[in-house]
Amino acid sequence: MKSESTAVRLQRLARPDARVLGVYNSGLSADAVREKYGVEHVAKLASNENPLGASPQVTRALIAEASGSAIYPDSASRAVRQKIASATGVGLEQVVMGNGSEEILQMLCTAFLNPGDRVVTLIPSFGLHEIFPRMMGAEITMVGVDAQRQFDVAAWEQALSTPVKLVIFSNPSNPVGCMLNREGFQRIIDAAPQDCVLVIDEAYYEYCESDLDYPDSLRVLAQQTRPWIVLRTLSKAYGLAGLRIGYGLASDVELVNLLDRVRTPFNINRSAQAAALAALEDKAHVAASMEFVSQQRAIISATLREKGYEVVPSHANFVFFDCQRPSVELAEQLLTYGVIVKPWREPGYARWIRVSVGSEHDNQLFLRSLELISMQANAQEAE
Ligand SMILES: *Cc1c(COP(=O)(O)O)cnc(C)c1O
């Protein structure tokens, strides 16, 4: 037999679902942009990081933890789970930790999805809500937003009227920034078949926590007699994206046990555990971050609207807007000014950009660069 190349062998050996998987668009690093475009300052507004950074307590905790680097971390992350349990009012045994909440999404897909199982999620969506289910060979139904770019509850009820294994959506939604209110949340929960797992991704929970219309998902779900999990993270409001730590609050200990079996045992490293303990202590830092983001978000949204762009009212630390031309092109031009944004690519959203709320300086750099680019485009048209 003629010998095969490695590439051909790989094609044959890999699982078909893995072979055809889409690549998660994790965006460009500031260093890459600095090098490629020769800019000094980079405004990294593509990953929804906290412009105020982490609490200063986190730095102290990390320094204190450094001497423990030779020792394996607690595989049960007990101290952090304890703290999260008491802060959220759920039992310790209902808390599961992930190397970022995205790892919990992966654990859920690994634990529950057989090829052909059906998953219902949102479009436009957080990429991993689609990629992880596809990795397991699941069939995906994507529910769009309505004409006002809000949760289309009637469409959700329709999509949930046939059997489904996992229901996954973020609230508030990434990338749209819309918030599903109490009534809509209750309707979607009521519409979901009994034999499914509800996955509510609350990565931006802290930005809505004080909104009276934001559903108290833990209280609503506690009435349910089926498995559910609420995902939250320390990457966004707490500013720990670089350390990778997120958590899930699950309906019961059985679900946590199941996820524990499919996860890598030491998934949360010592630094992340120490940092999380310190970050969770510093409520004032989170409050200051929320205040700052809400003030800057209002400025960005108002300025974009004045320039005639359609902007979705945002309940999180980013703004989603129709840039009225191919978003990939505009994002590329913004890079030449050192501004990184996230151009959307999903069908129907190829003119939309998601821009994170950054520092005041970076937000202004984004707005000014956008203005310069549109002036150039207008000048070219006039020629
Ligand atoms: C950022 C984000 C996450 C992932 O957060 P990590 O905890 O950093 O993995 C999950 N879901 C949504 C909707 C997000 O926007």
Side-chain angles (χ1 to χ4, degrees), residues 101-111 132 135-136 262:
S101 56
E102 59 195 32
E103 192 198 17
I104 307 177
L105 286 167
Q106 189 184 31
M107 285 158 25
L108 286 160
C109 292
T110 310
F132 286 149
M135 185 171 74
M136 305 308 296
V262 299

Side-chain angles (χ1 to χ4, degrees), residues 100-102 126 170 174 201 203-204 233 235-236 244:
S101 56
E102 59 195 32
F126 177 60
S170 51
N174 173 11
D201 186 340
Y204 303 93
T233 180
S235 295
K236 309 285 161 60
R244 315 304 306 124

Side-chain angles (χ1 to χ4, degrees), residues 110-235:
T110 310
F112 287 103
L113 295 178
N114 284 310
D117 280 347
R118 187 162 166 267
V119 173
V120 178
T121 191
L122 274 172
I123 184 170
S125 77
F126 177 60
L128 298 174
H129 290 175
E130 184 187 352
I131 294 173
F132 286 149
R134 285 212 193 283
M135 185 171 74
M136 305 308 296
E139 301 292 327
I140 307 187
T141 303
M142 302 191 86
V143 181
V145 286
D146 67 15
Q148 282 71 48
R149 324 271 172 210
Q150 301 298 309
F151 276 83
D152 189 342
V153 177
W156 271 92
E157 288 173 326
Q158 175 67 31
L160 294 173
S161 64
T162 46
V164 48
K165 181 70 87 67
L166 284 185
V167 176
I168 311 179
F169 61 86
S170 51
N171 187 26
S173 124
N174 173 11
V176 180
C178 57
M179 182 186 89
L180 179 64
N181 65 17
R182 285 170 178 273
E183 189 218 333
F185 185 75
Q186 188 68 56
R187 276 174 62 192
I188 290 179
I189 302 302
D190 290 345
Q194 284 301 318
D195 255 346
C196 75
V197 183
L198 302 165
V199 182
I200 317 299
D201 186 340
E202 294 185 345
Y204 303 93
Y205 166 80
E206 292 80 4
Y207 301 88
C208 293
E209 199 180 355
S210 59
D211 189 321
L212 293 177
D213 227 13
Y214 187 58
D216 184 347
S217 56
L218 292 176
R219 200 182 50 78
V220 173
L221 292 167
Q223 317 293 319
Q224 300 288 315
T225 54
R226 60 176 146 192
W228 52 263
I229 186 165
V230 173
L231 304 182
R232 294 188 189 154
T233 180
L234 280 91
S235 295

